[in-house]
Each structure stands twice: as C-alpha cells, then as structure tokens.
Amino acid sequence: MTLDDFSPLITLMLVHIIGLMSPGPDFALVVQNTAKYGRVTGVYIALGLSIGILIHSTLSLTGISFVIQQSPNLYLLLQIAGGSYLTYLGIGALRSVLVKPTGGERSDSNNAQVLITNQSQALFRGLTTNLLNPKALVFFVSLMSSLIPTTMPVLGKGLAIGLLWVLSFFWFAFLAWALSTQRVQRKLAHLTGYIDAICGVMFCALGLIILVKTLMPEITG
C-alpha cells in the first residue's frame, strides 16, 4: 500500500463517524435497551449492530449489495422486510408503555415481543435491525463506491472493512457504557417509559415511511 491509499481510508473513517453519530434506528436501539436492561445488553446490541455493518460493508465492497439494489424484486423484498421489522420494533416499544401490568411487574405474555432475556437475543436484535435497514444498504453502497477506488489493493480494502467494524463497535459500545453508569442509570430509571415511547414512535415512523414509499410510490412520488 502507498500513501495515496490511506487518503480515502481517512475520508471513509470521517464520513462513517458522522453517520454513526447521526440519530437513527441503530442509535435509538442502543439507547432504548441500555436504559431498560443495562450495560451488558447494550454492549451485545452494539456487537450485533457492528457485525451488521461489517456484513454491509463487505457486501458493498464486493459488489453484491449493488446487485441487490439494482434488482427490483430483491430490493423490494428487503425494503418490505426492513420497514416491517422497524414497525414491529416500534409497536413493541409502544405496547410496553401502554400496557400496564398488574402487581408492578412486567407481563411477559403482553410484552414478549419487546423483552430481551439473554445476550444472544440482544446480539440478534442489533444484527437484524442493521441488516434489514434498506437505508444502510444504500449508504454503504454509496460510501464504498465513491471513496474506495477499484484499484486499491486487497489489503487496503480489508483494512477499510476492518476500520468500519472497529469504529462501529467502539461507538455503540461506548454509548452503552456511558448510558449504564450508576449515575446515569438512576436518572434513566424514571425515564424508561418516555425513552420507549420516543423510540417506539421513531421506529414506527421510519418503518411506515419505508413501507409507504415501497408499496405506494405514487403517493410519495
């Protein structure tokens, strides 16, 4: 690798950092579940999100994501799946706010769709939220195609993918850690319902927007 190969990597890192810090489904998922379940769950969600980004960046760099984006049927299925999943998460979050369990304890039967009971579920929730987000696919296709030249050596491309994964995990894990300190947790304990409500509305809005644009393009066009 030459010095010229490092310039696009630096630009890639800066653009990705800005994207990570922008409010979106990934950010909301970490905030919501760290506030509700604590640091370990938040870190495993961060790991799932970063693995999703690793997969997206790898598929984008190899051209597979571009093929999916250019295939009307495949991209349609991804948009429907992504919009439906985000809406599902939103409804689950809102139900946890609206349903009032008796006896002061959470009812598993009423809230099973929003509970995370182990680390595997947390990782899977993060992974699916990122992978099924069609906007993430478009973002990484645009990012890789515009910043990573086709002439870059394989080592450079592998380094680009690794940097995106490390930055993603570090940011979301740091967010989970910052939100799970004792001082912050004491404050968040009284705000969990509001956080669920805000995240629920955000997930529902994003999911429904994707579904409406996908299934009824004449309305948004």
Side-chain angles (χ1 to χ4, degrees):
M1 290 183 62
T2 65
L3 290 176
D4 292 337
D5 293 323
F6 286 97
S7 178
L9 292 179
I10 294 173
T11 305
L12 179 72
M13 290 172 56
L14 293 175
V15 173
H16 186 53
I17 289 172
I18 294 173
L20 287 173
M21 293 184 176
S22 302
D26 294 351
F27 188 96
L29 192 74
V30 175
V31 172
Q32 178 196 11
N33 289 285
T34 301
K36 184 182 294 185
Y37 301 111
R39 177 175 299 173
V40 174
T41 296
V43 170
Y44 271 88
I45 284 178
L47 179 59
L49 291 170
S50 65
I51 293 174
I53 289 172
L54 175 66
I55 294 173
H56 268 304
S57 56
T58 302
L59 295 180
S60 298
L61 202 56
T62 56
I64 296 175
S65 289
F66 180 76
V67 173
I68 294 174
Q69 186 183 0
Q70 296 302 310
S71 175
N73 291 333
L74 284 176
Y75 192 54
L76 177 66
L77 288 175
L78 176 64
Q79 287 179 305
I80 293 175
S84 300
Y85 187 69
L86 289 175
T87 305
Y88 161 79
L89 290 181
I91 293 173
L94 292 175
R95 281 194 63 185
S96 71
V97 176
L98 297 175
V99 175
K100 301 294 184 181
T102 58
E105 296 183 356
R106 186 180 295 272
S107 169
D108 289 354
S109 61
N110 287 334
N111 295 282
Q113 74 273 29
V114 297
L115 286 178
I116 294 179
T117 58
N118 56 58
Q119 297 164 352
S120 297
Q121 288 181 356
L123 190 148
F124 183 74
R125 182 72 59 87
L127 177 63
T128 51
T129 300
N130 185 269
L131 276 185
L132 292 178
N133 185 356
K135 291 186 176 181
L137 182 143
V138 175
F139 174 77
F140 283 103
V141 168
S142 302
L143 194 65
M144 291 301 193
S145 62
S146 60
L147 295 180
I148 302 300
T150 56
T151 56
M152 177 176 283
V154 175
L155 177 61
K157 293 179 179 179
L159 184 58
I161 293 173
L163 285 172
L164 292 181
W165 179 78
V166 170
L167 286 173
S168 303
F169 178 68
F170 176 81
W171 166 247
F172 290 124
F174 170 77
L175 186 62
W177 174 84
L179 292 172
S180 58
T181 60
Q182 291 184 357
R183 182 179 179 182
V184 174
Q185 279 288 299
R186 284 195 296 268
K187 294 181 178 180
L188 291 179
H190 305 290
L191 300 174
T192 302
Y194 296 104
I195 294 173
D196 276 341
I198 293 171
C199 292
V201 171
M202 179 185 294
F203 285 134
C204 284
L206 291 172
L208 291 174
I209 288 173
I210 292 172
L211 289 175
V212 169
K213 286 185 175 180
T214 303
L215 300 176
M216 293 178 286
E218 65 279 359
I219 294 179
T220 57

